[in-house]
């Protein structure tokens, strides 16, 4: 400390060590101090918020679609477990599916185009094959495609 008072322009030993640790001779510039790095910049925060907002928006659009499909799959699986379903006529099966979908609050579903009942030698198969388009932004849509089939028991 006495040298600082004698030579005020000359740094003491502690200051010299700090400067030598910060200086990178190969790059000829000072290394950034961790003390100066206090988090994200404004642009970093803005980008993070935009990405999170986009993920939340897409999730809020897609989650109901998957929940509805899960309910419809549950209806078909429960029908596959019931005995005697394969012996019912086609209109009875369609009516049963419509009623069960209505009970599960699935109302905006086009049964005629998206639900097929096929009978062959191996038994009765119900095929649920559809796609849903959800508008995201202007002319950009999210498209979810679902395909489920079950075989009914005699």
């Amino acid at each position: 400390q006495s040298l600082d008072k004698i030579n005020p322009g000359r740094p003491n030993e502690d200051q010299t060590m700090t400067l030598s640790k910060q200086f990178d001779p190969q790059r000829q510039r000072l290394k950034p101090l961790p003390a100066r790095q206090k988090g994200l910049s404004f642009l970093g925060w803005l980008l993070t918020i935009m990405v999170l907002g986009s993920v939340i928006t897409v999730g809020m659009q897609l989650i109901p679609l998957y929940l509805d499909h899960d309910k419809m799959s549950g209806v078909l699986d429960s029908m596959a477990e019931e005995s005697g379903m394969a012996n019912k006529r086609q209109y009875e099966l369609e009516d049963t599916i419509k009623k069960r979908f209505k009970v599960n609050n699935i109302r905006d579903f086009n049964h005629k185009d998206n639900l097929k009942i096929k009978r062959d030698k191996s038994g009765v198969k119900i095929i649920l094959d559809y796609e849903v388009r959800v508008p995201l932004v202007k002319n950009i849509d999210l498209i979810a495609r679902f395909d489920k089939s079950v075989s009914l028991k005699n």
Side-chain angles (χ1 to χ4, degrees), residues 11 43 72 85 90 94 153:
L43 290 176
M72 288 188 272
M85 277 291 180
Q90 181 149 344
E94 289 173 357
K153 291 182 179 180

Side-chain angles (χ1 to χ4, degrees), residues 3 57 122 128:
L3 287 176
T57 300
S122 62
L128 181 69

Side-chain angles (χ1 to χ4, degrees), residues 94-104 111:
E94 289 173 357
D95 191 46
T96 302
I97 292 170
K98 286 178 187 178
K99 286 179 183 176
R100 291 185 183 188
F101 279 7
K102 189 174 183 178
V103 166
N104 284 297
H111 301 289

Side-chain angles (χ1 to χ4, degrees), residues 3-57:
L3 287 176
D4 288 342
K5 293 179 183 174
I6 297 172
N7 293 329
R10 183 176 176 181
N12 65 17
E13 189 176 313
D14 292 336
Q15 292 172 337
T16 306
M17 287 290 282
T18 306
L19 286 174
S20 68
K21 287 180 185 176
Q22 293 177 22
F23 188 70
D24 185 1
Q26 293 167 342
R27 293 189 180 170
Q28 297 294 320
R29 63 187 180 104
L30 289 176
K31 293 180 186 177
L33 286 175
R36 292 185 195 159
Q37 298 173 358
K38 297 272 184 183
L40 290 176
S41 66
F42 175 73
L43 290 176
W45 277 109
L46 187 64
L47 183 65
T48 303
I49 290 170
M50 287 174 53
V51 168
L52 284 176
S54 298
V55 168
I56 290 171
T57 300

Side-chain angles (χ1 to χ4, degrees), residues 28-153:
Q28 297 294 320
R29 63 187 180 104
L30 289 176
K31 293 180 186 177
L33 286 175
R36 292 185 195 159
Q37 298 173 358
K38 297 272 184 183
L40 290 176
S41 66
F42 175 73
L43 290 176
W45 277 109
L46 187 64
L47 183 65
T48 303
I49 290 170
M50 287 174 53
V51 168
L52 284 176
S54 298
V55 168
I56 290 171
T57 300
V58 169
M60 295 296 287
Q61 296 287 329
L62 288 180
I63 288 173
L65 301 179
Y66 281 94
L67 290 175
D68 283 349
H69 177 70
D70 189 49
K71 288 179 189 176
M72 288 188 272
S73 293
V75 166
L76 295 183
D77 289 339
S78 70
M79 288 179 68
E81 294 298 318
E82 290 180 29
S83 60
M85 277 291 180
N87 297 330
K88 290 189 175 185
R89 295 184 178 141
Q90 181 149 344
Y91 74 89
E92 292 175 319
L93 289 173
E94 289 173 357
D95 191 46
T96 302
I97 292 170
K98 286 178 187 178
K99 286 179 183 176
R100 291 185 183 188
F101 279 7
K102 189 174 183 178
V103 166
N104 284 297
N105 203 21
I106 299 168
R107 301 187 189 285
D108 298 330
F109 186 76
N110 188 350
H111 301 289
K112 291 179 183 176
D113 294 336
N114 302 320
L115 191 69
K116 306 281 187 254
I117 299 173
K118 292 189 176 183
R119 293 184 184 270
D120 57 14
K121 294 177 184 176
S122 62
V124 178
K125 195 173 209 178
I126 300 176
I127 302 167
L128 181 69
D129 186 17
Y130 67 102
E131 102 179 4
V132 181
R133 291 177 179 259
V134 178
L136 186 62
V137 178
K138 293 194 178 194
N139 63 344
I140 300 173
D141 292 346
L142 293 174
I143 302 171
R145 189 171 191 293
F146 300 100
D147 186 14
K148 168 85 175 178
S149 63
V150 295
S151 296
L152 300 181
K153 291 182 179 180

